Amino acid sequence: SFTGKGVSDMGTLILGLITGIFFGFFLQKGQALKYDKQLGVLRLKDFTILKLMVSAILVGMVGVYLFVDLGIGKLSLKPTVLAANIIGGLIFGLGWGMLGYCPGTTVGATGEGRFDAFWGGVLGMLVGAGIFAEIYTVIKDSLLKWGDLGKLTIPKVIGVHHWIVIALVWIVMILMLIFLEKKKI
């Protein structure tokens, strides 16, 4: 039977499945799963994916903070660790540049039947996760501690209410989207 903690766990899994389906659907409809679009943004020639990402960021930041302010959600911040972020960003960028897909679009492209995304991306992520799991005990107290700045948010760092930062980000991003649209990039 589904009682107690099991209901919450099952509900979380179902919610994750539903949101994952919608995420994949919107990636596909936004053309983010197309190799040419991925390559276009990396070469700074086609900003379709950038526009999609900016739109998702704008909606997501309002949604997250609205849920937090209404008491139906909470922020679960991870600490800012400079060494881990820099190395992780370099690995992410190298993988995206070499394969032409980021992790989310790799899974989506595999779902569309693109075997390059599967062999280079999905298997690459599994191998990378395995390597990380093997070296974790060696790096957890060294590399994963270098530059540990704690749990940071932009509003906390600059000392203003989060809705002020959200409004400023919205203004900048909307102006950027208008510029890109006028240039037809």
Side-chain angles (χ1 to χ4, degrees):
S1 78
F2 296 107
T3 59
K5 191 172 187 280
V7 173
S8 174
D9 291 345
M10 183 59 73
T12 300
L13 289 174
I14 291 170
L15 181 61
L17 175 64
I18 291 168
T19 56
I21 289 169
F22 277 106
F23 181 69
F25 175 80
F26 288 120
L27 280 177
Q28 201 278 334
K29 286 297 175 190
Q31 302 180 15
L33 303 180
K34 292 186 176 184
Y35 176 79
D36 293 343
K37 295 292 183 183
Q38 292 281 331
L39 191 59
V41 76
L42 290 173
R43 295 179 67 213
L44 303 177
K45 296 196 180 274
D46 182 344
F47 292 97
T48 302
I49 291 175
L50 179 65
K51 293 174 191 176
L52 182 71
M53 289 169 51
V54 166
S55 301
I57 290 167
L58 293 176
V59 171
M61 81 168 72
V62 168
V64 166
Y65 276 100
L66 182 64
F67 286 164
V68 167
D69 287 351
L70 293 174
I72 55 177
K74 69 176 194 159
L75 289 178
S76 179
L77 301 174
K78 304 291 181 219
T80 300
V81 181
L82 295 179
N85 289 351
I86 291 168
I87 292 168
L90 289 171
I91 292 169
F92 176 92
L94 183 63
W96 189 10
M98 288 174 55
L99 184 61
Y101 297 108
C102 69
T105 57
T106 297
V107 175
T110 299
E112 284 189 338
R114 297 206 186 93
F115 292 112
D116 62 324
F118 176 76
W119 293 112
V122 173
L123 290 181
M125 286 188 278
L126 292 173
V127 168
I131 292 170
F132 180 78
E134 287 298 317
I135 66 169
Y136 178 76
T137 55
V138 175
I139 64 173
K140 73 177 182 174
D141 291 324
S142 58
L143 185 65
L144 298 181
K145 299 284 186 201
W146 295 342
D148 187 344
L149 303 177
K151 297 180 178 188
L152 301 177
T153 64
I154 293 172
K156 183 177 171 183
V157 169
I158 62 176
V160 299
H161 195 271
H162 54 259
W163 287 108
I164 294 172
V165 173
I166 291 170
L168 292 173
V169 170
W170 264 80
I171 291 167
V172 170
M173 297 278 200
I174 294 295
L175 290 173
M176 183 182 73
L177 288 172
I178 290 169
F179 172 78
L180 291 173
E181 201 56 35
K182 284 188 177 187
K183 294 290 183 185
K184 292 294 179 198
I185 299 176

